[in-house]
Amino acid sequence: MSWSSSSSPAVASDSHYFYDACNTSTKCYLSAPLHIFQIYLGQDTCRALGPMEQYLSVDQEVSVLNKKSWNSIIESVDSLITTLPVMIGFVLSRMLCGHLPRLSTRRFLLEYMLVAIPTVILFTVGSDFFHMYSIVSFLALVWYLRPRRELELRNTKYEVGKRPLVFTLLRAICNCGTSVAILMVDFPVTPVRFRKSRTFGASAMDMGIGIFVVTMGLVSHRARNLTDLKKLPKAVVPLLLLGLGRTTVISMINYNHDVHEYGIHMNAFFILGLTKLFGSLCSLLANSDLQLLGLAMGILSMHELVLQLGLCDYVMSDTVPRLGFLSSNREGLSSLPGCVALYLFSIYFGKWYTSQDHLTYTQLCSKLKRVLLIAVVLWVMVILSAFLSGIARVTFNFGYVIWILFISVVIILNCAFFFELAFVQTRPTFGDCHKETANSLPTFVESLNMNGLSYFLLSNFFTGMVNIFFDPNNRSNSESVLILLAYVLICSMMVFIMHKKRIRIA
């Protein structure tokens, strides 16, 4: 039922509620004739209408829609702030633990305390202080670590490399944040605003799969010919096998999972594997890295057009039965074009950022100013998208792809300030590349980076174990925090031991 002045409100008990054709258990958005303005309208299912609100004029509908659109924008900013505690932990680890031996257990445990403890507490029992801690700590670190000797630094040179520190830090922030999120969401102490959106939304957990696609694209290359595709199975097949294994295990043990996320059979591993496969094939159409921009925008625009023509309604509808493979996995399959577009955008950005291996301090500042400009342009596009198409992770629509690009660019910019500018005095120069190279990143980050996929698999495994044996739904706040801290410690300690023994799996 469309939400309009001519519609009769549905009745539930003694209250009147408004529903649309694509209402789900957690989100509502407008359907035709305002289809182009589909927007996430709020966290609650559908708010009750008061006596004077049962019938609204078109102008009133648009006014409410605009208000909810701004709420969606505010939610996207809130999600950006959720990336700060982990990054602040990395910065403090670099400042306070950099003098300790790189592979010492003492250093790892101190870094764990600086990263994991604030993150877990702020996402659970301390969520009321989340914004204050994150913003105040971030601004204090920016002020304290601001470059004070610019004249001396102007002639400083250093090597960016083909895989800059900022890409590693982005991947570590994504891995660490995701591992905490996938378990904490099972505890009642976790605020609703952090949970994934069923249809439209820009919550903290909506960022996960998108940033994973970005980190995969940043270190990938454009396929120039069929010979380049010969290496593709090494990257794609393991992900598809992991996806198949996860689906098989879930089916065998009858493990409860939300089918509205990717579908009945699909999961994040399938999405990443298929994105890598189709993204590499599509990149053959580009004759240069610059053409990747046009190709990605064309794919994303066509994807959004198809969504607006009715695919979005079909994917998000609770009334459509899940019969057959396509219908059963409509969420995951419909998101693939958006994933491919995001992957191609990321390849281009990675090539642009690493186009110069060696930079002076002045050149670095100039590059970061351009990154800031990119972030501003993307933010304007996010605002426009929130009013025109909404932000929907489930379909990887235009608004979601642009939002994820914005989030990723801002994280890269923040990490570049701290780890490229603020710590520039301790970075190696051209003629002194052996000094402190190993200490340029926290041990916690290096451990996650060396076995990132293993860390993610361990997180998924222990998340299942906690759900099976510890019954998260019936845990007190203190018990929830202790379980989460122990879980992060076990997962990170295992990859640290692998790093210490120089064992690299994936």
Side-chain angles (χ1 to χ4, degrees):
M1 180 183 299
S2 298
W3 178 38
S4 63
S5 57
S6 61
S7 301
S8 299
V11 178
S13 301
D14 296 327
S15 300
H16 294 286
Y17 294 87
F18 57 90
Y19 289 89
D20 66 289
C22 299
N23 174 56
T24 70
S25 61
T26 55
K27 301 288 186 295
C28 299
Y29 63 93
L30 295 178
S31 55
L34 298 178
H35 189 287
I36 190 63
F37 297 107
Q38 289 179 353
I39 292 296
Y40 162 70
L41 289 183
Q43 283 289 1
D44 295 327
T45 304
C46 285
R47 65 176 180 83
L49 292 177
M52 303 301 295
E53 294 181 285
Q54 295 183 20
Y55 299 97
L56 297 177
S57 66
V58 174
D59 290 341
Q60 290 172 319
E61 290 176 358
V62 173
S63 176
V64 172
L65 179 62
N66 289 335
K67 181 179 179 181
K68 297 303 181 179
S69 300
W70 282 112
N71 288 342
S72 181
I73 294 171
I74 294 172
E75 186 183 36
S76 66
V77 175
D78 185 69
S79 298
L80 175 62
I81 297 175
T82 62
T83 66
L84 292 180
V86 176
M87 187 188 68
I88 290 170
F90 291 164
V91 174
L92 292 175
S93 297
R94 178 64 178 81
M95 292 172 58
L96 304 177
C97 305
H99 64 285
L100 298 173
R102 183 171 60 93
L103 296 178
S104 70
T105 304
R106 178 187 174 192
R107 174 170 175 170
F108 167 78
L109 292 175
L110 287 174
E111 291 182 357
Y112 160 81
M113 294 171 62
L114 292 170
V115 175
I117 294 179
T119 300
V120 169
I121 291 176
L122 290 171
F123 274 92
T124 52
V125 294
S127 59
D128 292 340
F129 304 96
F130 183 88
H131 292 89
M132 182 176 67
Y133 170 86
S134 301
I135 296 174
V136 172
S137 299
F138 175 77
L139 294 177
L141 287 172
V142 169
W143 180 84
Y144 180 76
L145 295 172
R146 70 191 188 283
R148 296 180 176 86
R149 299 176 296 169
E150 292 193 22
L151 293 178
E152 297 180 19
L153 294 174
R154 289 187 186 278
N155 295 323
T156 302
K157 297 181 179 181
Y158 61 94
E159 186 175 357
V160 174
K162 292 302 181 182
R163 292 198 177 186
L165 297 181
V166 291
F167 294 176
T168 301
L169 288 162
L170 174 63
R171 183 164 55 250
I173 290 172
C174 183
N175 275 325
C176 187
T178 302
S179 68
V180 173
I182 60 176
L183 179 58
M184 78 174 189
V185 73
D186 296 322
F187 292 96
V189 68
T190 305
V192 174
R193 71 176 189 271
F194 294 141
R195 300 172 185 268
K196 286 183 180 179
S197 305
R198 180 65 64 83
T199 56
F200 290 88
S203 68
M205 289 192 67
D206 287 323
M207 295 187 295
I209 184 64
I211 297 183
F212 271 123
V213 172
V214 171
T215 57
M216 184 171 64
L218 289 175
V219 295
S220 297
H221 304 278
R222 171 176 60 89
R224 291 173 170 79
N225 48 55
L226 295 178
T227 304
D228 290 343
L229 297 180
K230 292 181 179 180
K231 301 177 182 178
L232 199 56
K234 286 186 177 180
V236 173
V237 173
L239 289 170
L240 296 181
L241 290 177
L242 287 171
L244 180 61
R246 175 180 168 82
T247 299
T248 303
V249 171
I250 286 177
S251 300
M252 290 176 61
I253 65 176
N254 197 27
Y255 186 79
N256 184 37
H257 72 289
D258 186 5
V259 297
H260 294 90
E261 188 173 354
Y262 301 110
I264 295 177
H265 308 104
M266 295 195 70
N267 52 58
F269 295 113
F270 279 126
I271 295 297
L272 294 175
L274 294 175
T275 298
K276 180 73 173 178
L277 174 61
F278 294 131
S280 299
L281 292 174
C282 289
S283 68
L284 286 171
L285 300 175
N287 295 322
S288 65
D289 292 335
L290 182 60
Q291 290 185 7
L292 290 173
L293 277 180
L295 179 61
M297 185 57 72
I299 293 174
L300 186 58
S301 299
M302 290 299 298
H303 177 53
E304 183 61 33
L305 177 61
V306 173
L307 289 174
Q308 294 292 339
L309 290 176
L311 180 61
C312 181
D313 293 348
Y314 170 74
V315 171
M316 296 184 181
S317 175
D318 279 344
T319 61
V320 176
R322 296 183 179 272
L323 303 175
F325 179 81
L326 295 180
S327 179
S328 297
N329 300 281
R330 55 183 181 265
E331 292 87 356
L333 294 174
S334 67
S335 68
L336 286 177
C339 291
V340 170
L342 181 58
Y343 177 74
L344 296 176
F345 277 127
S346 303
I347 293 177
Y348 173 76
F349 184 84
K351 295 303 177 186
W352 173 80
Y353 195 90
T354 59
S355 58
Q356 288 181 283
D357 283 348
H358 303 84
L359 294 174
T360 64
Y361 176 80
T362 303
Q363 290 173 327
L364 176 63
C365 290
S366 177
K367 170 164 282 191
L368 295 185
K369 289 177 182 177
R370 281 177 281 172
V371 174
L372 177 60
L373 178 61
I374 293 172
V376 172
V377 172
L378 289 172
W379 175 239
V380 173
M381 295 178 68
V382 169
I383 294 176
L384 294 176
S385 298
F387 283 91
L388 295 177
S389 64
I391 300 172
R393 172 199 53 80
V394 69
T395 57
F396 260 75
N397 70 341
F398 186 93
Y400 179 79
V401 170
I402 298 301
W403 174 58
I404 289 297
L405 285 172
F406 166 72
I407 294 288
S408 302
V409 169
V410 172
I411 293 175
I412 288 173
L413 182 64
N414 290 339
C415 291
F417 172 81
F418 289 114
F419 288 87
E420 300 290 5
L421 281 179
F423 300 135
V424 70
Q425 295 99 325
T426 60
R427 289 296 310 280
T429 59
F430 296 149
D432 198 20
C433 292
H434 66 283
K435 290 187 178 180
E436 294 206 30
T437 304
N439 288 334
S440 57
L441 284 176
T443 299
F444 196 92
V445 173
E446 291 184 342
S447 300
L448 297 185
N449 182 55
M450 187 172 183
N451 286 286
L453 183 57
S454 300
Y455 180 77
F456 185 65
L457 290 174
L458 287 169
S459 301
N460 277 268
F461 173 77
F462 284 111
T463 295
M465 293 298 100
V466 170
N467 275 276
I468 292 173
F469 296 108
F470 289 93
D471 190 16
N473 285 322
N474 295 314
R475 294 294 168 183
S476 65
N477 291 354
S478 58
E479 289 175 334
S480 300
V481 171
L482 290 175
I483 291 173
L484 282 166
L485 289 175
Y487 154 83
V488 177
L489 178 61
I490 293 172
C491 293
S492 56
M493 176 64 81
M494 293 182 73
V495 292
F496 168 69
I497 293 174
M498 294 166 64
H499 176 50
K500 191 171 184 178
K501 296 182 178 296
R502 298 182 180 179
I503 299 173
R504 183 183 180 90
I505 299 177

